[in-house]
Amino acid sequence: MELSFYFGSHSSYSFMGIFFCLLLFTFFRNSRVVLADSEYLIGLGSYDITGPAADVNMMGYANTDQIASGVHFRLKARSFIVAEPVGNRVAFVNLDACMASQLVTIKVLERLRARYGDLYSEQNVAISGIHTHAGPGGYLQYVVYIVTSLGFVRQSFDVIVDGIEKSIIQAHQNLRPGSLYVNTGEVDAGINRSPSAYLNNPASERSQYQYNVDKQMTLLKFTDNEWGPIGSFNWFATHGTSMSRTNSLISGDNKGAAARFMEDWAKQKSFGTQSHSSHVAASGTHNNQQGFPRRVSSIIPPVHENSNKLKELVSSFKASGGMQLSGPQSIVQRVRNTFSQGSQQNFVSAFCQTNCGDVSPNVLGTFCIDTGLPCDFNHSTCNGKNELCYGRGPGYPDEIESTRIIGDRQFTKAVDLFNTASEQIKGKVEFHHAYIDFSQLEVTVSSSEGKQVVKTCPAAMGFAFAAGTTDGPGAFDFKQGDNQGNPFWKVVGSLVKAPSKEQVDCQKPKPILLDTGEMKLPYDWAPSILPIQILRVGQVVILCVPGEFTTMAGRRLRDAVKEVLTGDGNGEFDNNVHIVIAGLTNTYSQYVTTFEEYQIQRYEGASTLYGPHTLNAYIQEFRKLASALLTDQNLHDQGPQPPDLLDKQISLLPPVIVDSTPSGLHFGDMSNDVPINSTFKRGDVVSATFWSACPRNDLLTNGTFALVEFLDSSQNWVPAYDDDDFCLLFKWSRPSKLSAQSHATLEWRIPQDSLPGVYRFRHFGASKSFLGSISYFTGSSTAFAVV
């Protein structure tokens, strides 16, 4: 109105008004051209989801002794959104967590609905876990998955929900015109941990494949029209079990490590954010001539090369003593930028999980810890004992080194695929979703007698479930490959809930240890209603499944969907369609094997909850989703809704009562300092221990508990490494289980490419008073030299 009035009231400006309108028309016309050329709007986001680093049982191994007590490196939620300029959009979230949770998904969708209306829903949002076994548990809603964490852990749950929401908000705010590319290649980072079950698949089927695991990585490259490459997401099958069942440090395991390496590599290459003012690499394992990460800060010149001067400098910096802070100031001390710089978004790289059910990263094979001999092939036992058989990673016996190697293999291939990606993604953005009751689903299967209708079963776990795997064996006298069961344990299981004859017959040949699908006290022990989902971006189709498919089960599902998509003759899809499985997505329901693998009843078969026809049920229902994708038809029957059990959750984890230090000492004071005038070489391990407080008092989200600081040429201490670095460990401990006192040990393995100079440790924490107030503190160690 103001423009119309202005131009209409002043005839001398009429020509300028017309000219201005022409400029506006040209601008919007060009904007439409940009969108048409790029075809998509793309946005990426990332946020810290590191849970409580103390007292909480870790999710994955179901080992009651595996209690979190520190941080290896931080966990993230990483998201991408791809949208048509006017039309559909999809959002995919990759969690550095063991798996997705139905309750987490429900609450994230509620928040998105409150913020964006119907823009994001269960239809077009997928939340997937990488399957690390080194993250805090207690965030799922079904009883069987939170028993070892002493029930529901609200702190674990909240930080994941918050982080997912914020990562999606970032991705939404970052939506800009861009292009996507897809590339594939082979990675050698896993072996089949249940080869005897795999061999029960038909020989004619096995002969179609070179390996008994899927070695293909599929990578999406995201490129902003103005800024260039801004991120990548890839899918590759290997378990997050490089870190063992005795590890107590929070870690993203091999996939989280690969993501950290690639995001730091991108910083070095100046992808994404341009103004990164700190050290920019994580692994410290590649030389700079290869173009891989080198730990050289963009603000720190190569100083302190004179060793005598180094010693003089070191001697002048003593431990600071503990100091009170006004708040969680470690956030501003982070080495890496958490948020976008200016208008430009950070590079985001996610290493997603797929059909990893029978794939182990412990690639050296399985051996008996008492004799060193290979384990029994069929049962993975050693002289009949299951608990003595362990897989060995490539860095054996160093699990952190094994994590680095398997992560590095994925990272190296991802960089190669990223650099050579040339196949541009073009086509529609679409999605379909349905809830299915897997406890009683009728499934049509083919047999030698023709087609017949069978049914899935209520959830149940077999005896071999308790045997565990070679990545983390169980206890007592359970063993894999057991389709008979043990009379004693059958009695024990029956005391909890005796399965009906119908259930026993339905689950055969699985001997039922726990009839979880029919156990309802104090609330549901296992899920029955599961989400299935297809996301499509051009020629890339993502099958979102709520479990761990074995290698052959995943192949059958992909082939079935491909047959539907390419078989109708309309030409929308051809043999170049890229179909990937996103495992452990939206909720969790354990494993899915083939019918033939189920008969062997190794761990994966015993953990296939809904009986021998579970895979056929998935294939049947995904074929329906794929058909809907071709016809653009909405599935009017979305199925029964899964329950929201938040109000029924029980938590038995005791709260933090109070933190204290010995008389005369303060939080942040040194308990065991670095020796005075110390000098270390690259490759050495240096550590210092502080008087600390329980990390549960404040998770320091987007902050850090640990820093290695570097003395720059202006005599300022600048952050060099933090607790999101692979080389710096934050270890927390109490002198005794019920003690109010605690220690924080910072342990740094000095990378081979660290700068020579003067360094020190700095610790951040939060303490709780007897009245419940939270106070923040910090402290720094005596300085030391690296030469």
Side-chain angles (χ1 to χ4, degrees):
M1 292 178 63
E2 290 180 353
L3 282 175
S4 299
F5 175 80
Y6 186 77
F7 294 142
S9 301
H10 302 275
S11 59
S12 60
Y13 290 103
S14 59
F15 174 75
M16 292 184 65
I18 294 171
F19 180 71
F20 181 72
C21 290
L22 288 173
L23 285 176
L24 285 176
F25 173 78
T26 302
F27 170 77
F28 287 116
R29 180 175 180 274
N30 289 340
S31 295
R32 287 196 295 272
V33 169
V34 168
L35 291 175
D37 287 346
S38 63
E39 199 161 351
Y40 304 116
L41 299 174
I42 59 175
L44 284 79
S46 175
Y47 207 83
D48 188 2
I49 59 168
T50 308
D55 302 332
V56 176
N57 184 254
M58 289 184 162
M59 182 63 197
Y61 288 115
N63 175 17
T64 56
D65 293 329
Q66 190 190 14
I67 305 298
S69 60
V71 177
H72 179 203
F73 57 92
R74 288 194 167 251
L75 310 179
K76 299 292 180 66
R78 297 175 171 91
S79 301
F80 75 73
I81 297 174
V82 179
E84 296 170 338
V86 179
N88 290 333
R89 65 182 59 203
V90 294
F92 186 92
V93 185
N94 191 61
L95 297 179
D96 286 348
C98 195
M99 67 281 289
S101 155
Q102 185 66 73
L103 189 58
V104 166
T105 300
I106 289 171
K107 296 308 176 184
V108 168
L109 293 174
E110 286 179 359
R111 293 190 182 189
L112 293 177
R113 190 175 300 114
R115 181 179 292 270
Y116 297 113
D118 295 332
L119 197 59
Y120 301 104
S121 70
E122 71 271 6
Q123 295 289 316
N124 65 344
V125 175
I127 302 172
S128 182
I130 64 170
H131 209 38
T132 175
H133 287 42
Y139 64 94
L140 289 89
Q141 70 172 356
Y142 297 105
V143 173
V144 75
Y145 306 129
I146 56 175
V147 168
T148 58
S149 61
L150 299 180
F152 189 68
V153 180
R154 187 71 195 223
Q155 201 171 31
S156 292
F157 174 80
D158 285 342
V159 73
I160 294 175
V161 173
D162 291 345
I164 295 171
E165 180 194 22
K166 288 181 171 64
S167 73
I168 292 176
I169 291 171
Q170 282 185 28
H172 178 86
Q173 293 174 340
N174 287 333
L175 282 170
R176 290 168 46 87
S179 300
L180 288 89
Y181 299 86
V182 62
N183 203 359
T184 61
E186 285 192 0
V187 187
D188 186 11
I191 62 171
N192 197 304
R193 69 185 186 187
S194 290
S196 60
Y198 180 88
L199 287 173
N200 206 45
N201 292 307
S204 58
E205 182 179 35
R206 288 185 281 112
S207 67
Q208 300 173 36
Y209 303 98
Q210 184 177 358
Y211 308 110
N212 63 0
V213 295
D214 282 341
K215 295 194 175 189
Q216 179 170 288
M217 174 183 284
T218 299
L219 179 138
L220 298 185
K221 177 179 180 179
F222 296 81
T223 302
D224 184 280
N225 281 0
E226 179 183 354
W227 298 331
I230 56 172
S232 68
F233 277 59
N234 70 71
W235 289 263
F236 172 75
T238 195
H239 249 75
T241 50
S242 292
M243 301 292 283
S244 74
R245 69 192 299 273
T246 60
N247 163 64
S248 64
L249 300 180
I250 290 175
S251 171
D253 209 276
N254 57 70
K255 286 189 176 290
R260 165 54 49 238
F261 299 162
M262 190 155 185
E263 288 177 347
D264 287 343
W265 168 82
K267 297 285 189 184
Q268 180 77 4
K269 291 292 185 180
S270 298
F271 295 144
T273 302
Q274 302 293 326
S275 55
H276 184 62
S277 62
S278 301
H279 289 57
V280 292
S283 64
T285 60
H286 305 280
N287 65 54
N288 206 36
Q289 285 69 36
Q290 293 175 307
F292 289 108
R294 174 173 167 74
R295 270 215 174 269
V296 178
S297 167
S298 59
I299 65 170
I300 303 175
V303 295
H304 306 319
E305 295 183 359
N306 185 295
S307 59
N308 290 328
K309 185 177 181 181
L310 279 181
K311 293 177 181 178
E312 292 177 11
L313 285 169
V314 165
S315 64
S316 61
F317 292 97
K318 308 299 183 185
S320 66
M323 297 180 290
Q324 291 292 309
L325 299 173
S326 59
Q329 296 182 9
S330 71
I331 291 176
V332 299
Q333 300 290 332
R334 285 288 303 275
V335 169
R336 295 167 188 82
N337 296 318
T338 301
F339 303 102
S340 302
Q341 294 292 309
S343 62
Q344 195 162 343
Q345 59 184 286
N346 286 329
F347 189 96
V348 176
S349 182
F351 286 69
C352 311
Q353 194 57 270
T354 177
N355 55 318
C356 68
D358 53 358
V359 186
S360 170
N362 296 311
V363 294
L364 297 186
T366 60
F367 298 88
C368 300
I369 59 175
D370 57 344
T371 66
L373 298 174
C375 303
D376 172 77
F377 181 78
N378 290 316
H379 301 290
S380 298
T381 56
C382 301
N383 293 320
K385 294 184 178 181
N386 166 77
E387 58 269 29
L388 299 178
C389 177
Y390 278 85
R392 293 180 180 177
Y396 175 83
D398 185 342
E399 62 186 328
I400 290 180
E401 178 63 6
S402 291
T403 301
R404 185 198 65 78
I405 293 171
I406 296 298
D408 189 72
R409 290 181 185 180
Q410 294 175 75
F411 156 65
T412 301
K413 175 52 66 174
V415 167
D416 175 54
L417 297 179
F418 183 87
N419 286 334
T420 59
S422 60
E423 180 185 342
Q424 187 168 356
I425 297 174
K426 296 182 178 181
K428 298 177 183 178
V429 174
E430 295 180 293
F431 47 83
H432 285 286
H433 174 283
Y435 288 115
I436 308 296
D437 187 346
F438 270 77
S439 69
Q440 52 184 355
L441 182 65
E442 291 189 347
V443 184
T444 301
V445 298
S446 298
S447 68
S448 58
E449 301 175 358
K451 292 186 181 297
Q452 59 177 321
V453 177
V454 296
K455 292 184 71 173
T456 57
C457 323
M461 297 190 295
F463 275 66
F465 159 79
T469 73
T470 55
D471 292 333
F476 303 108
D477 55 351
F478 295 102
K479 65 180 180 180
Q480 297 194 68
D482 181 2
N483 57 13
Q484 299 298 319
N486 176 294
F488 172 78
W489 290 111
K490 284 184 178 180
V491 171
V492 173
S494 296
L495 292 176
V496 180
K497 170 68 173 67
S500 65
K501 182 180 184 303
E502 182 183 8
Q503 173 75 322
V504 171
D505 291 340
C506 185
Q507 291 278 353
K508 281 182 178 178
K510 177 199 294 179
I512 297 174
L513 177 64
L514 291 173
D515 189 21
T516 53
E518 299 181 315
M519 295 163 64
K520 305 295 182 181
L521 294 176
Y523 46 87
D524 291 357
W525 278 58
S528 58
I529 299 168
L530 303 179
I532 63 170
Q533 182 182 38
I534 287 185
L535 306 181
R536 177 205 177 175
V537 180
Q539 68 269 36
V540 175
V541 176
I542 304 172
L543 312 180
C544 301
V545 301
E548 304 173 61
F549 279 55
T550 62
T551 298
M552 194 63 84
R555 289 168 176 169
R556 290 186 189 177
L557 178 61
R558 291 196 303 261
D559 288 347
V561 170
K562 184 175 182 179
E563 181 182 36
V564 173
L565 295 180
T566 60
D568 76 329
N570 69 3
E572 187 171 355
F573 293 94
D574 56 27
N575 284 327
N576 198 37
V577 61
H578 298 271
I579 300 176
V580 297
I581 291 173
L584 307 115
T585 300
N586 294 327
T587 190
Y588 183 62
S589 59
Q590 294 175 247
Y591 285 75
V592 180
T593 65
T594 68
F595 179 86
E596 295 82 0
E597 291 166 347
Y598 186 90
Q599 308 307 307
I600 303 302
Q601 280 298 295
R602 283 183 64 92
Y603 174 83
E604 295 81 15
S607 304
T608 297
L609 296 184
Y610 308 103
H613 304 294
T614 301
L615 174 59
N616 284 325
Y618 273 103
I619 290 174
Q620 172 181 282
E621 299 306 310
F622 266 100
R623 288 178 70 93
K624 294 177 184 178
L625 293 188
S627 296
L629 205 63
L630 289 173
T631 57
D632 284 334
Q633 291 181 345
N634 289 324
L635 298 175
H636 298 293
D637 182 11
Q638 291 296 312
Q641 294 289 311
D644 178 345
L645 301 177
L646 181 59
D647 292 340
K648 295 185 177 182
Q649 296 301 311
I650 297 171
S651 179
L652 302 177
L653 179 69
V656 178
I657 303 300
V658 66
D659 294 290
S660 68
T661 60
S663 177
L665 295 176
H666 304 91
F667 295 109
D669 280 353
M670 300 307 305
S671 173
N672 187 17
D673 201 358
V674 178
I676 296 174
N677 297 329
S678 295
T679 299
F680 298 92
K681 302 185 297 295
R682 297 173 182 89
D684 288 347
V685 176
V686 56
S687 65
T689 301
F690 297 79
W691 286 104
S692 190
C694 185
R696 290 166 59 197
N697 295 325
D698 192 313
L699 303 182
L700 299 186
T701 301
N702 285 325
T704 184
F705 292 103
L707 273 181
V708 171
E709 295 181 315
F710 182 92
L711 188 67
D712 70 7
S713 56
S714 300
Q715 303 289 289
N716 295 316
W717 290 104
V718 295
Y721 301 84
D722 62 22
D723 67 11
D724 199 20
D725 276 294
F726 198 85
C727 61
L728 178 60
L729 306 181
F730 163 64
K731 298 180 176 181
W732 181 83
S733 62
R734 290 189 178 100
S736 61
K737 189 172 183 178
L738 299 179
S739 175
Q741 298 176 6
S742 62
H743 291 111
T745 297
L746 279 53
E747 182 178 295
W748 183 37
R749 184 178 296 275
I750 304 172
Q752 293 296 332
D753 50 10
S754 290
L755 290 171
V758 177
Y759 293 84
R760 71 177 183 182
F761 289 110
R762 189 173 182 191
H763 170 48
F764 294 92
S767 62
K768 185 176 184 179
S769 71
F770 188 76
L771 296 178
S773 62
I774 302 297
S775 301
Y776 295 88
F777 64 88
T778 187
S780 59
S781 72
T782 294
F784 57 92
V786 173
V787 296

